[in-house]
Amino acid sequence: MPRAFVFDAYGTLFDVHAAIGRHRSAAGPDADRFSEIWRSKQLEYTWTLTLAGSYLDFWTLTERALDYAFARFPSVDKALKPRLLDAYLELDAFPDARIVLRDLKARGEILSNGSPKMLAAAVQAAKIDLDAVLSVDALRIYKPRLEVYALVTERFKLAPSDVVFVSSNRWDVMGAAAFGFRTAWVNRAKMPEEYGPAPTTVLADLGGLLTL
């Protein structure tokens, strides 16, 4: 039986496309592609900065990725920027995330690229209960560097095998598995398998965690 379930935040517990979803009509016909670019550049910046030995907090990268999305899609009114950023601080939690975090018998924690300000706002807005929220900001490097996953074992004095790490991001699952965590890939989008090591389990949604 795992002693802790550790969750990625963005894309796993919180819907990263909820911000544009709240302003879809104002964003226009390119809203979905705009949101995809915003998310992909946000992640790209974390990887490239970490590889270069540099760091900017996740909120700064979120804003810069949004600026890039506006540049790629001039059809989307730049006047939406403040509203989209405000919405990103209060992303909707997936319905299954609320249920699982309520029903889990083991300890539940977040380990996220998000800055402390972002995570505090998201957790409060979503009204979800967690035992701890850990941010990469403490190390100033981003996942999937192995040092990030060590934040969990060092904080709670656990062996990696005591932890089930849960993420919808396959690259994040790769890093957690390489560190030695048991892993659950929440493959909401039915993406093909890639990377290695393989996840311990693959789930269609978070509800499957309750059977582990």
Side-chain angles (χ1 to χ4, degrees):
M1 178 70 181
R3 294 178 60 191
F5 285 89
V6 178
F7 296 85
D8 171 58
Y10 296 105
T12 304
L13 298 180
F14 305 119
D15 182 357
V16 295
H17 300 296
I20 200 70
R22 295 178 194 176
H23 302 285
R24 185 177 304 280
S25 60
D30 288 325
D32 289 336
R33 291 192 297 159
F34 179 94
S35 190
E36 290 288 348
I37 286 291
W38 184 9
R39 173 61 171 169
S40 65
K41 295 305 288 189
Q42 179 195 51
L43 292 174
E44 179 187 319
Y45 295 158
T46 68
W47 301 327
T48 54
L49 283 175
T50 296
L51 286 168
S54 186
Y55 181 82
L56 292 169
D57 71 70
F58 200 60
W59 183 244
T60 300
L61 300 186
T62 298
E63 185 171 2
R64 290 188 178 185
L66 179 57
D67 288 336
Y68 182 90
F70 278 120
R72 281 286 306 273
F73 294 96
S75 63
V76 181
D77 187 355
K78 290 184 180 179
L80 281 174
K81 180 178 177 178
R83 283 184 280 170
L84 290 173
L85 288 173
D86 286 346
Y88 208 93
L89 285 174
E90 298 184 348
L91 293 174
D92 299 330
F94 289 107
D96 55 311
R98 296 179 185 279
I99 294 169
V100 165
L101 291 173
R102 182 193 67 204
D103 292 347
L104 274 179
K105 300 293 189 292
R107 184 164 57 206
E109 297 133 12
I110 280 178
L111 175 64
S112 174
N113 279 340
S115 67
K117 177 185 79 169
M118 293 176 70
L119 292 170
V123 169
Q124 181 178 10
K127 296 181 173 61
I128 57 177
D129 293 323
L130 294 152
D131 291 301
V133 178
L134 304 179
S135 168
V136 303
D137 202 59
L139 296 176
R140 299 177 66 83
I141 56 175
Y142 286 102
K143 296 187 284 184
R145 283 286 296 267
L146 299 188
E147 298 96 318
V148 173
Y149 304 100
L151 285 171
V152 174
T153 53
E154 292 170 2
R155 169 76 177 272
F156 300 106
K157 310 304 180 188
L158 296 172
S161 59
D162 290 330
V163 175
V164 172
F165 183 81
V166 187
S167 181
S168 63
N169 300 301
R170 186 62 186 86
W171 54 267
D172 196 10
V173 169
M174 171 198 68
F179 182 72
F181 289 157
R182 286 183 279 172
T183 54
W185 179 28
V186 184
N187 190 7
R188 299 181 187 277
K190 297 181 174 59
M191 300 299 287
E193 174 63 287
E194 56 182 337
Y195 303 121
T200 307
T201 188
V202 180
L203 306 172
D205 58 46
L206 285 167
L209 277 180
L210 298 177
T211 65
L212 295 181

